[in-house]
Amino acid sequence: MICDNISVNQKGRLAFAGLDTVDLAKKYGTPLYLMDEDKIRENIRTYKTAMAEYFPQGSVPEFASKAFSCKQIYRIAKEEGINIDVVSCGEIYTASSVGFPMENSFFHGNNKSDSDIEFAMDNNVGHFVCDSLDELGAINSIAKQKGKIQKVLLRLTPGIDPHTHKKIATGSVDSKFGFAIETGDATDALKNVLDMTNISLLGFHCHIGSQIFDAHPFMQAAEIMLDFVAAAKKEFGFDCQLLNIGGGFGVRYLESDPVIDYKEMISRIGEFLNKHAEKKGISLPKILMEPGRSIVANAGMTLYTVGSIKEIKGYKNYVSVDGGMADNPRYTLYEAPYTVALANRMNDKKDFIATVAGRCCESGDILQENVAMPKPCRNEILAFCTTGAYNYSMASNYNRLPKPPVVMIKDGTDYLAVKGQTFDDIAGLDV
Ligand code: LLP
């Protein structure tokens, strides 16, 4: 199986985190997002222990909450004692509402409005990660008005090609994110920010992209970032306390994807950072990483009910389900692969090849193509594995479809973490 929380039970049905998925579909209805809380915690602890072992003292993971944001994930992050990355006032509001210690949050984004900045400061967001002089100026003056000194990291673009889908690569010089090191913009920004009275610069950040399987691009980025840290010390006497090397470790969506040992990747990056810092004659700052996908992706599964089955002779077969691009836009956006299973009959022969289509009124609403499965019947359950990242968080109300509920599983017990939307949740906002 693609992950160790997925199995086939004695009834020949798909089990997730030890529970029968067909029973869960019956209990909560479909579409249904499932999240395995134990797996989320296990993934967090993998990062936490490896970073404590291989990076300088005080190095902690930040959960990139854009991958999956709801109250319960912030409670889990708080209990596990990790930091969070937030990118909007909505995420800040959600995290604050469950008492997440906001001094341990990092506010990202290439365009924070003045009201975003005020909201974040009023909610005691600990750190801002910035990549524009306009924004730094606004932060400085708003902090002055509020009588605050705001901690900031500068986001830099190291100019690395991480060999991932172009829509999720972020570290190239022409990216909308970051001050480019190559062009001298990063140095100019540093010079400017050091003169800002109400900003305390703690260090630098980079994020090169997402769904990256190899440690090498991270080392390339780390090398460029440490060179910059050394130059900042030499030219400006700036002591870098925090270096954030971003998120982006890949996850397995298909059996054919490599199995990644995150601990091993972190140890290799740690070894490289130590060696390179020594070579440059600098002491290594605390290292932050901000994984999103690799914390929650394999903790998730989505269940759908099969509806129409259409065989277009000599062409292709369609299996339509009761969800689609509104609850998972990732195939439409990136042709993202998923492992798909007919949950009712896991031991039957997979001799039917079909395109899984969503229910939205749009040809592009496809969830997966060329899937081998037993020929399904109407009302059977189709499961998409590894949907814990960027599914619920990217869901929309396209076609006025309500967002499905999120059910979490802990120690073999299921509980509702996010209620499904009602029609009134959607239409009720209309005036
Ligand atoms: N830090 C920053 C600044 C980021 O922009 C991201 C992701 C992360 C951390 C977390 O990266 P991760 O560990 O999750 O790869 N919607 C796309 C992914 C977009 C990633 C955006 N930034 C998808 O569904 O594949």
Side-chain angles (χ1 to χ4, degrees), residues 40 55 92 99 124 131 142 145 219 223 230 240 267 277 347 353 385 392 410 417:
I40 297 173
F55 293 164
I92 293 168
N124 300 316
D131 60 6
I142 295 170
Q145 283 159 26
M219 294 185 199
E223 179 173 356
C240 177
S267 89
N347 297 327
I353 307 290
C385 303
Y392 171 68
K410 178 164 172 48

Side-chain angles (χ1 to χ4, degrees), residues 82-84 96 99-107 120 123-128 150-151 202 242:
I82 58 166
N83 298 340
I84 55 167
S96 301
F100 185 86
M102 294 307 286
E103 65 274 15
N104 300 335
S105 68
F106 290 72
F107 188 17
N123 280 280
N124 300 316
V125 164
H127 312 78
F128 283 55
Q150 182 59 54
K151 289 184 253 176
L202 295 192
L242 287 182

Side-chain angles (χ1 to χ4, degrees), residues 49-201:
T49 45
M51 289 176 68
E53 189 171 343
Y54 301 112
F55 293 164
Q57 209 186 3
S59 300
V60 240
E62 247 170 65
F63 172 59
S65 63
K66 73 206 82 184
F68 179 75
S69 177
C70 68
K71 288 181 178 176
Q72 183 62 352
I73 196 77
Y74 295 116
R75 292 188 191 106
I76 294 171
K78 179 182 171 187
E79 282 169 22
E80 294 292 329
I82 58 166
N83 298 340
I84 55 167
D85 140 350
V86 287
V87 291
S88 69
C89 293
E91 289 181 355
I92 293 168
Y93 178 86
T94 311
S96 301
S97 71
V98 292
F100 185 86
M102 294 307 286
E103 65 274 15
N104 300 335
S105 68
F106 290 72
F107 188 17
H108 287 262
N110 61 306
N111 187 19
K112 305 173 193 78
S113 67
D114 290 0
S115 65
D116 292 342
I117 294 168
E118 290 206 28
F119 186 86
M121 285 185 192
D122 293 344
N123 280 280
N124 300 316
V125 164
H127 312 78
F128 283 55
V129 183
C130 298
D131 60 6
S132 96
L133 284 175
D134 291 340
E135 189 175 298
L136 285 162
I139 291 171
N140 192 44
S141 59
I142 295 170
K144 199 176 279 175
Q145 283 159 26
K146 292 186 184 290
K148 273 197 165 196
I149 304 287
Q150 182 59 54
K151 289 184 253 176
V152 163
L153 301 186
L154 292 184
R155 178 168 180 166
L156 311 181
T157 32
I160 296 290
D161 174 7
H163 306 295
T164 189
H165 193 292
K166 72 173 187 332
K167 286 191 190 161
I168 56 174
T170 50
S172 64
V173 174
D174 62 355
S175 168
K176 77 166 181 171
F177 296 109
F179 291 108
I181 295 178
E182 187 188 301
T183 58
D185 288 344
T187 309
D188 286 348
L190 175 60
K191 209 184 302 171
N192 272 286
V193 83
L194 289 174
D195 287 337
M196 293 185 179
T197 50
N198 290 65
I199 284 184
S200 158
L201 184 71

Side-chain angles (χ1 to χ4, degrees), residues 276-290:
H276 198 67
E278 202 180 307
K279 188 169 146 200
K280 299 299 288 186
I282 51 172
S283 54
L284 199 55
K286 281 181 202 161
I287 304 295
L288 302 177
M289 287 187 83
E290 45 191 23

Side-chain angles (χ1 to χ4, degrees), residues 64 66 85 155 168 207 210 248 290 292-293 330 334 390 394:
K66 73 206 82 184
D85 140 350
R155 178 168 180 166
I168 56 174
H207 171 77
S210 198
E290 45 191 23
R293 191 189 308 270
R330 297 193 67 255
Y334 323 113
Y390 304 111
M394 290 176 77

